[in-house]
Amino acid sequence: MGRVSQAQAEENRRRVVDTASRLFREQGTHVSVADLMKAAGLTHGAFYKQFASKEALVDEVTAHAFDENARRNAAGLERHDGQRDAAQRALIDAYLSVEHRDNAADGCPVAALAIDIARGPEGREARRTYAEGVADFAAFLAPAEAVAGGEGGEGVEGGEGGEGGLARLCTLVGALVLSRATQGSPLSEEILAAAHAALTEAG
């Protein structure tokens, strides 16, 4: 059997990262390499030709998931012609939907990866990437008037704007996690509705 071309090797790597990004968000980073590679349609041995370790893959997947999240937020802002309030309202509507609750694989990495990142060692690259992703997401959620006034627009340490974005993100993520944990009970959708009302009535 001939050697895999560089282009094919790059495609295989992308396939593994994309597959892992969905599986880790849906099932957690404890998914075995064997199960991951089977889902990606590749051999178990091919994994170690692409990645030094599973930990290295977790680092790369965390960055991939947050890059995807940032692109999604930027696209939402563009769809609403740069109108921050409208883009944020659309995000809140989608984030606190039953569809998002039921589709962790393609959903928010802040909620989906939190427990696995928290259980990992403090010095890991994945934890640093996660923290940066949380800060960026909170900055996107900062109230439009605060950003316009220069408060917290570039991060979450800069005053009311940053605090407002963090509060919104905490409400979104907390509600999503609780609604998933209570799925099958009427409480699940009540949690989503309560969080939605709190954010949109306050915003």
Side-chain angles (χ1 to χ4, degrees), residues 114-124 127:
I115 296 301
D116 288 313
I117 296 296
R119 288 173 175 163
E122 289 188 14
R124 281 283 305 280
R127 182 173 287 222

Side-chain angles (χ1 to χ4, degrees), residues 54-67:
K54 186 180 176 186
E55 288 71 23
L57 174 64
V58 172
D59 291 344
E60 187 165 336
V61 165
T62 303
H64 174 83
F66 276 100
D67 285 345

Side-chain angles (χ1 to χ4, degrees), residues 26-187:
E26 184 177 50
Q27 300 178 29
T29 59
H30 63 272
V31 172
S32 70
V33 170
D35 287 344
L36 166 62
M37 297 305 281
K38 182 178 179 181
L42 298 168
T43 65
H44 186 286
F47 178 86
Y48 293 101
K49 295 178 182 178
Q50 299 287 348
F51 303 96
S53 65
K54 186 180 176 186
E55 288 71 23
L57 174 64
V58 172
D59 291 344
E60 187 165 336
V61 165
T62 303
H64 174 83
F66 276 100
D67 285 345
E68 185 180 81
N69 194 61
R71 287 194 299 271
R72 189 159 48 226
N73 291 342
L77 193 58
E78 185 175 346
R79 275 195 306 275
H80 290 88
D81 299 320
Q83 297 299 309
R84 199 173 186 88
D85 282 338
Q88 289 171 346
R89 175 57 187 264
L91 183 149
I92 290 167
D93 291 346
Y95 198 103
L96 295 173
S97 67
V98 170
E99 291 75 18
H100 188 205
R101 180 199 67 187
D102 296 346
N103 188 24
D106 293 312
C108 174
V110 178
L113 299 177
I115 296 301
D116 288 313
I117 296 296
R119 288 173 175 163
E122 289 188 14
R124 281 283 305 280
E125 180 69 14
R127 182 173 287 222
R128 183 191 64 77
T129 301
Y130 184 92
E132 289 179 355
V134 168
D136 289 344
F137 199 0
F140 176 80
L141 289 167
E145 63 273 13
V147 174
E151 296 177 353
E154 298 300 326
V156 296
E157 296 88 4
E160 284 182 28
E163 291 174 3
L166 277 174
R168 287 177 170 182
L169 181 58
C170 290
T171 301
L172 288 170
V173 173
L176 182 61
V177 170
L178 289 173
S179 71
R180 285 175 175 165
T182 56
Q183 193 168 348
S185 159
L187 186 60

